[in-house]
Amino acid sequence: MARQHLWRARPRGAPGAAAAPPGAQGAQAVPGAVPDHWELVEGEDVENERVLEQHRLAVQIGLLGSGNLEGFFDHEFAPEAKSIDGLAGAPVKKGQAALIDLIASQRPREDAADDDAEPPPPEAPRCPCGRRSRMNRVRVPGAADGRPYFRCAGRACRFLDFGDLGSSAQAQALRWARFDTGRADRRYEVVGGEGFRPEDARVGPEAERCGDYFADAAAALAERPEALARLLPNAGCGGGAGGCHEVRLCVDGRWRAFLIDERLPVAAVGEHPGGSTCRTGTETLAFGRAAGNQLWLPLLEKAYAKAFGSYNFALLGAPLDELLVDLTGAAVETWLLDGEVDADVLWMWLQGASEVGALVVCSSRDSGRGRGTVHALLEAVDAQDPRLEVAGIHGCRAVRLRNPRAGLHAGAGYHDVMAALQGVPAEGSTHSDGSFWVPFPREFLSSFGRADACHAKATGGNLAHTRTFEGEFAPGSGLGVRGCALRVAAGGVESVMCWLTLAQPTPRGARLLRPAMGRVLSDLGMLVIDADSHEPIALAMGGAWRSATCSLTLEAGCEYLVVPFSFRAWAGPVLLRVHCSSPAWVRGAPDDLSVQTWAALLSTMAAPGHPTLQTREPRRPARRSRSLEVDLGDGSRVTAAELVLVELEGAAMLVVCNPLDCAVLVELELEVSHMAVHTARGPQFGEWDGQRTASGGPRAWDRQPDWRRHSVEDVVPPASRQLVCALLAVARPCWAVDLGRSTALLG
């Protein structure tokens, strides 16, 4: 992704009030709707009308339930096995019970692949397309690993069904206990007197087995207690009255308030005693826990599970950056530290974040458990800093890190972590502090695989003004998305840093489909063009993922058109979220911008090194080209066309430039992994390549490749550029595309 440094201070003498653009009106639009007049995006949208309505309901429940010994009972998320794994165990069709028993009893093969050549099982449910669905298996670590599910055989719709499977034995074995925060003896409380502390975060036996990142994300946010405090608005006033707790989360691009009770899943202590952590007798909290008698982490986790339908649906397979987005409500910028990374540019980014106090979370490479460890960046210092000499680091820069969960309870694990990451103890550090130095760049880049920066104001970032606008996917229409195109302008006489996020709801259970969760999601793209000249300013294609982000600078006095689009759109809602460093003006834009959008897309793709491209890897060429020659029959050859492959963050585009005065027939062969191929004739499903799939993934961390062969052909008109093929990533970040044989014939 093309990097823009967001750690810039506000210019001195900047005006405090936003200047209204011409024609601006003071009327307020319906929250969430795209305004038909200029409207100012100012302040954050955590306390929107829907959240405040739930807050008032929580207060009423607390007053009514304060005298009830049982307290509030959340019927929407009942204490049962279904809330753990999301599987209801509904009545099965005749003949299907035996099928389910058979496939559920079989463990998946190591080379189990998503092979469309395999015939559908008998009595498999039909998807909305009317075809027999196919059976696949969940391939994420944890209790759900190996469980079968059904999906659309032709990948023509987003059908996903676990419905005929009963709850697992692991889910049924967990008991639910009430942790009453309203008792006079104050046995349990939401947060202790010292407030939210990173070192208080723990994981229970179920979370340890699944390897989820939720406790790490919550612990990292505890480095900025204000960010956690706004998620639990009643934490500081004695907990939830009447046993009703309000938790605020930004799920699927919109802040919502969830009301939950105090009944939490517990498991036998076994080999996870947890010290003084909350437990009842011989049982302890099964998932997230907090030190002492605090409940802030398990309550956050329960609300998050409720938002997605169950603990497994919410936690298994959820990457750290998605969790941080849902907990902060703002854009999270990610650096993948694989390949050829410009160490100087990365250093400027890390140092800038450290200076302004923004939260940066660094994840180490795979530790052998299928995931790395998570560390918060405390500071980045130059080689001349005297503290480095005291620590024995000479002649190089260094970053100071802390594992938020490596505090008092870590013991010898603190030294193990330092040894694995080539770290040096920080001066005066203790196990309670858990901080250490890592020399930069060699040791840092060899030990860490990614860095995520939270740009929310509450975490030290500069995105203090947010607003969400609603739209919908429109299958068969020109752009595939309608209702949320915007015209945007800076709100004052200075430039404004702006992040745009296009998000779609996640189907229940879709996170269990990783790495290829995108098989049931629409692809997402955004194009920003100058409102007057229609010149492209920024382009982001996020593939078939949960969200796509785009960053740009809004120059004062200029207006911009933000145009969302989708190649493979399935009917459903979509949200466009605007994040700004200073107030900005927005108003609705027309949906009939197809001509301008496709023209800007083609010009962007065909231009070498176009600055608007938000590419997959900053140091890797985003554009590859190949000349297509044709034999004229008299022994001479002529260049008939130029084939251009552009790799963006979540998609690849194949464009053919035909300079001749006659049409050209282009025939291409492609091999792709974790990609959906779309042409003018619709989706192409390709032929599964079992031999190459068995040989391994295109990238080191891709252990589940899905190689397919495709043949594509199209006629390119005379003297024109044409998008021949759109390759949409359905898994992040391990998708790949290889160009095979390509030929051209004169029309």
Side-chain angles (χ1 to χ4, degrees):
M1 177 178 176
R3 304 295 169 189
Q4 299 187 47
H5 296 296
L6 303 188
W7 323 120
R8 299 184 301 181
R10 183 173 179 144
R12 294 183 179 179
Q25 302 178 25
Q28 294 297 316
V30 178
V34 177
D36 58 0
H37 55 270
W38 286 107
E39 182 176 325
L40 188 64
V41 175
E42 187 173 21
E44 295 196 77
D45 59 348
V46 178
E47 294 189 344
N48 57 64
E49 184 55 38
R50 299 177 186 178
V51 168
L52 294 178
E53 181 180 357
Q54 288 292 93
H55 178 73
R56 291 189 290 266
L57 179 60
V59 173
Q60 295 174 2
I61 291 175
L63 293 175
L64 293 175
S66 57
N68 185 356
L69 294 179
E70 293 297 322
F72 170 65
F73 187 93
D74 184 7
H75 293 278
E76 296 178 347
F77 196 67
E80 57 188 12
K82 178 183 177 182
S83 297
I84 301 294
D85 60 15
L87 306 180
V92 298
K93 302 174 184 178
K94 182 180 179 181
Q96 196 172 348
L99 168 67
I100 296 297
D101 291 340
L102 175 62
I103 60 180
S105 64
Q106 298 173 343
R107 291 301 301 167
R109 305 187 311 273
E110 290 298 324
D111 60 344
D114 195 357
D115 186 0
D116 281 336
E118 179 184 349
E123 297 295 330
R126 291 187 180 274
C127 68
C129 302
R131 306 171 62 182
R132 292 286 183 197
S133 59
R134 297 202 182 267
M135 188 272 289
N136 286 116
R137 293 182 180 276
V138 171
R139 295 186 286 178
V140 298
D145 186 31
R147 300 226 44 178
Y149 67 92
F150 296 98
R151 53 91 174 162
C152 177
R155 305 194 190 283
C157 69
R158 60 197 310 171
F159 177 72
L160 169 64
D161 184 26
F162 291 89
D164 292 309
L165 298 179
S167 290
S168 63
Q170 295 95 322
Q172 296 179 23
L174 296 180
R175 193 178 71 85
W176 295 73
R178 185 187 176 196
F179 293 78
D180 190 353
T181 58
R183 292 174 54 174
D185 57 7
R186 303 291 295 166
R187 182 178 179 184
Y188 302 110
E189 57 186 345
V190 178
V191 61
E194 296 182 337
F196 300 102
R197 302 191 308 170
E199 60 267 27
D200 288 344
R202 307 282 197 276
V203 293
E206 289 298 312
E208 188 73 30
R209 183 181 300 113
C210 299
D212 69 77
Y213 279 104
F214 192 89
D216 295 287
L221 282 185
E223 298 279 359
R224 307 290 187 270
E226 179 187 347
L228 281 181
R230 67 176 184 171
L231 303 182
L232 294 159
N234 56 7
C237 54
C244 178
H245 295 268
E246 177 189 353
V247 180
R248 297 173 180 178
L249 301 168
C250 188
V251 179
D252 295 330
R254 181 176 294 284
W255 281 102
R256 297 171 56 192
F258 297 89
L259 305 185
I260 59 172
D261 58 29
E262 300 172 325
R263 294 164 180 84
L264 301 168
V266 295
V269 173
E271 298 179 358
H272 299 269
S276 61
T277 304
C278 292
R279 54 170 153 171
T280 59
T282 60
E283 295 175 316
T284 185
L285 286 166
F287 293 93
R289 304 179 291 171
N293 61 350
Q294 301 176 94
L295 294 175
W296 60 268
L297 179 52
L299 290 176
L300 273 175
E301 198 169 45
K302 181 175 181 178
Y304 196 70
K306 180 178 179 179
F308 286 90
S310 75
Y311 279 86
N312 284 358
F313 286 175
L315 305 179
L316 297 186
L320 180 65
D321 58 327
E322 286 190 10
L323 294 171
L324 291 174
V325 169
D326 293 341
L327 294 175
T328 64
V332 171
E333 185 177 8
T334 298
W335 278 70
L336 295 178
L337 307 181
D338 285 280
E340 189 179 354
V341 177
D342 190 322
D344 291 332
V345 175
L346 176 61
W347 176 256
M348 291 174 58
W349 184 77
L350 292 172
Q351 196 171 44
S354 173
E355 290 174 354
V356 302
L359 177 64
V360 176
V361 185
C362 303
S363 302
S364 68
R365 300 188 188 278
D366 191 340
S367 61
R369 300 182 302 162
R371 49 156 290 179
T373 54
V374 175
H375 305 264
L377 175 72
L378 300 184
E379 56 184 326
V381 299
D382 290 314
Q384 296 77 21
D385 194 294
R387 291 173 297 172
L388 297 184
E389 184 175 354
V390 173
I393 301 175
H394 304 282
C396 69
R397 298 169 292 194
V399 295
R400 187 182 178 204
L401 303 172
R402 172 168 58 212
N403 185 333
R405 296 198 295 112
L408 287 168
H409 64 289
Y414 171 72
H415 300 287
D416 295 338
V417 168
M418 283 196 300
L421 301 178
Q422 306 177 61
V424 178
E427 179 186 7
S429 67
T430 64
H431 286 176
S432 60
D433 175 56
S435 66
F436 54 92
W437 296 105
V438 175
F440 185 95
R442 187 179 64 180
E443 288 80 2
F444 180 81
L445 292 178
S446 65
S447 300
F448 290 88
R450 64 182 292 151
D452 297 287
C454 301
H455 291 307
K457 184 68 174 179
T459 62
N462 63 351
L463 299 183
H465 310 276
T466 57
R467 174 76 185 276
T468 298
F469 302 95
E470 299 176 356
E472 61 179 350
F473 288 109
S477 71
L479 294 174
V481 176
R482 65 186 178 197
C484 57
L486 292 178
R487 183 181 287 261
V488 185
V493 296
E494 62 180 68
S495 61
V496 175
M497 288 306 305
C498 178
W499 281 73
L500 304 166
T501 302
L502 192 64
Q504 60 184 315
T506 305
R508 291 169 62 94
R511 283 184 167 179
L512 297 180
L513 307 190
R514 294 182 187 272
M517 185 177 79
R519 296 293 186 191
V520 297
L521 296 176
S522 300
D523 67 287
L524 299 171
M526 277 183 294
L527 177 68
V528 182
I529 59 179
D530 187 279
D532 297 323
S533 66
H534 291 169
E535 287 293 318
I537 303 298
L539 170 64
M541 297 188 66
W545 299 342
R546 192 181 74 148
S547 63
T549 59
C550 175
S551 62
L552 72 153
T553 301
L554 304 179
E555 300 294 344
C558 299
E559 295 181 14
Y560 304 86
L561 289 174
V562 180
V563 186
F565 61 90
S566 176
F567 287 93
R568 185 187 64 169
W570 289 318
V574 65
L575 300 174
L576 177 60
R577 191 161 170 80
V578 179
H579 320 264
C580 298
S581 60
S582 299
W585 291 99
V586 298
R587 68 175 300 174
D591 290 322
D592 55 346
L593 295 171
S594 299
V595 175
Q596 298 91 327
T597 300
W598 299 128
L601 277 174
L602 288 174
S603 65
T604 300
M605 302 295 176
H610 199 289
T612 68
L613 297 179
Q614 301 205 12
T615 58
R616 189 179 187 186
E617 297 177 5
R619 296 285 295 178
R620 178 177 177 178
R623 184 181 186 273
R624 289 181 281 164
S625 62
R626 174 189 298 180
S627 296
L628 301 178
E629 297 182 341
V630 62
D631 191 342
L632 298 180
D634 57 358
S636 61
R637 300 179 65 85
V638 62
T639 299
E642 181 187 23
L643 174 65
V644 180
L645 173 65
V646 181
E647 293 189 25
L648 302 175
E649 191 175 11
M653 315 294 285
L654 275 171
V655 177
V656 173
C657 302
N658 177 19
L660 304 179
D661 57 0
C662 61
V664 174
L665 173 63
V666 179
E667 296 178 347
L668 309 172
E669 291 184 356
L670 306 170
E671 288 193 3
V672 301
S673 179
H674 296 307
M675 303 197 82
V677 178
H678 281 248
T679 68
R681 300 178 181 179
Q684 306 294 319
F685 304 113
E687 178 183 355
W688 185 62
D689 190 340
Q691 182 176 359
R692 186 168 185 183
T693 296
S695 66
R699 293 182 167 228
W701 59 83
D702 181 18
R703 299 184 179 87
Q704 302 172 10
D706 180 29
W707 285 104
R708 296 173 185 273
R709 293 187 294 267
H710 296 264
S711 297
V712 177
E713 65 177 23
D714 205 347
V715 176
V716 183
S720 67
R721 290 190 297 256
Q722 182 160 309
L723 178 63
V724 174
C725 185
L727 310 170
L728 312 171
V730 297
R732 54 184 303 193
C734 48
W735 59 270
V737 55
D738 287 343
L739 281 175
R741 182 179 60 88
S742 55
T743 60
L745 301 172
L746 295 180

